Amino acid sequence: FFFLMIRRPPRSTQSRSSAASDVYKRQHIFFLESVLACALVSFGQQLAWNEGVPIDRLFDEAKFLYDLLKHEFITRQSLQTIEDLQNILNFMERRGMLTQSNNKVKVAEQSGDLGINYLCSLLWPFIDSYWVTAVFMMSLRKSQQGLTKAKMLEQVQWFADTLYEEKVLVHFESCSMDTFKNAYEQFKEMNLLKTDTIVNPKTNTTESVVRILAKEEELKKIEEHISSLQKGAFAKTVNSPIDIARRSMAIELPLISKL
């Protein structure tokens, strides 16, 4: 059997994202196998399908993704050591999804593509959501605009909706408010941002204002790392929608957070 993982109960869901979110709240997915599949294909055609990815490099990439999405699910198994990775690899090899040789892993010929694609598709919507949040944080860092946490999450969702309508994002589930909230908490744990409590002089009430702690270079590195795990890596295209969107947003970033 696959290792099962259950989506954590959401904190709250806005109406626009509730339908998509409910799908995942009810679903059990093969989380650890999906993490490995996404990590493997992120190395691209030459390594993942032909030469093979060294196990130590695969572990680093899989551990990054596992830690990134830890707020999304409750898991019975973990991915903390090379031994944990090896157990999952052995299982997936028995299922005909990948092959191992000389401490390298690659997608199995003929039988591997379908299974790997399926496993990746279970996590790609979440990865997209975290990428959108990271891109928005880059914009917020540049503009130095003060936003409350609620307002920031609202604008992140608006940004994701726009990218979905423009077909840059292919999954409506990537616009889930629940996932954006979890992404916010994860980036907070990574010390990329923090929430300051201030008093609004107009209303005499307290508000939580988001402050980006990470430098622009660090945010860009995180964004690029997450982007490498998106569907574009599996599609193996030269000018993927994700790359086109990033080039466009390099010009528009200062404007996004002001909308």
Side-chain angles (χ1 to χ4, degrees):
F1 295 95
F2 282 106
F3 298 131
L4 293 182
M5 192 165 201
I6 303 172
R7 181 83 192 266
R8 288 184 183 276
R11 297 175 177 86
S12 64
T13 307
Q14 292 189 356
S15 58
R16 284 187 297 171
S17 64
S18 59
S21 177
D22 285 345
V23 173
Y24 282 91
K25 282 185 287 182
R26 292 193 300 267
Q27 235 179 13
H28 292 188
I29 68 172
F30 313 131
F31 179 65
L32 296 180
E33 293 82 0
S34 296
V35 165
L36 259 66
C38 289
L40 180 60
V41 303
S42 73
F43 286 90
Q45 172 78 29
Q46 189 60 31
L47 288 178
W49 277 265
N50 298 324
E51 297 178 11
V53 178
I55 286 182
D56 57 345
R57 291 183 62 190
L58 180 61
F59 174 75
D60 290 342
E61 199 70 11
K63 185 66 165 59
F64 171 82
L65 182 56
Y66 175 87
D67 289 340
L68 185 73
L69 299 181
K70 66 184 180 184
H71 288 287
E72 299 298 333
F73 305 96
I74 300 170
T75 178
R76 299 175 184 175
Q77 305 290 333
S78 65
L79 181 57
Q80 303 295 336
T81 66
I82 290 288
E83 288 72 22
D84 294 333
L85 177 76
Q86 192 61 63
N87 289 335
I88 306 166
L89 290 176
N90 292 343
F91 175 79
M92 294 176 70
E93 185 173 34
R94 291 195 300 270
R95 292 284 177 169
M97 295 182 183
L98 51 80
T99 60
Q100 302 180 72
S101 177
N102 298 321
N103 289 318
K104 291 184 177 181
V105 180
K106 65 179 181 179
V107 178
E109 294 182 9
Q110 298 181 343
S111 63
D113 274 353
L114 184 61
I116 292 296
N117 188 26
Y118 169 71
L119 290 172
C120 288
S121 71
L122 297 174
L123 291 190
W124 276 330
F126 297 100
I127 295 172
D128 284 349
S129 298
Y130 280 68
W131 174 75
V132 168
T133 307
V135 171
F136 190 89
M137 287 168 57
M138 291 169 64
S139 170
L140 200 58
R141 175 71 175 77
K142 281 189 174 184
S143 70
Q144 294 297 325
Q145 182 182 3
L147 291 177
T148 64
K149 177 181 176 181
K151 188 64 176 177
M152 173 186 164
L153 291 174
E154 178 185 325
Q155 291 195 13
V156 169
Q157 189 178 53
W158 169 85
F159 181 35
D161 286 343
T162 301
L163 294 179
Y164 176 74
E165 291 170 2
E166 295 295 327
K167 303 188 185 305
V168 173
L169 298 181
V170 297
H171 307 285
F172 181 68
E173 296 89 341
S174 301
C175 303
S176 168
M177 178 60 77
D178 296 321
T179 307
F180 295 135
K181 289 180 178 179
N182 289 335
Y184 179 94
E185 293 302 323
Q186 175 59 25
F187 290 141
K188 186 177 179 180
E189 287 186 16
M190 294 169 68
N191 294 318
L192 301 178
L193 57 81
K194 65 176 292 189
T195 305
D196 289 332
T197 301
I198 65 170
V199 177
N200 187 325
K202 295 182 179 180
T203 61
N204 200 31
T205 58
T206 59
E207 295 180 346
S208 297
V209 177
V210 178
R211 184 158 64 91
I212 306 299
L213 300 177
K215 295 182 179 179
E216 185 175 345
E217 296 77 13
E218 184 179 4
L219 287 175
K220 181 175 177 57
K221 184 177 180 180
I222 292 292
E223 178 270 325
E224 289 179 346
H225 198 167
I226 297 173
S227 178
S228 72
L229 293 159
Q230 289 179 291
K231 188 174 182 177
F234 183 85
K236 302 181 286 297
T237 57
V238 176
N239 290 310
S240 70
I242 295 300
D243 293 331
I244 295 171
R246 186 184 298 114
R247 288 196 293 270
S248 299
M249 284 183 292
I251 299 173
E252 298 177 6
L253 272 175
L255 302 177
I256 293 174
S257 62
K258 297 179 181 180
L259 297 175

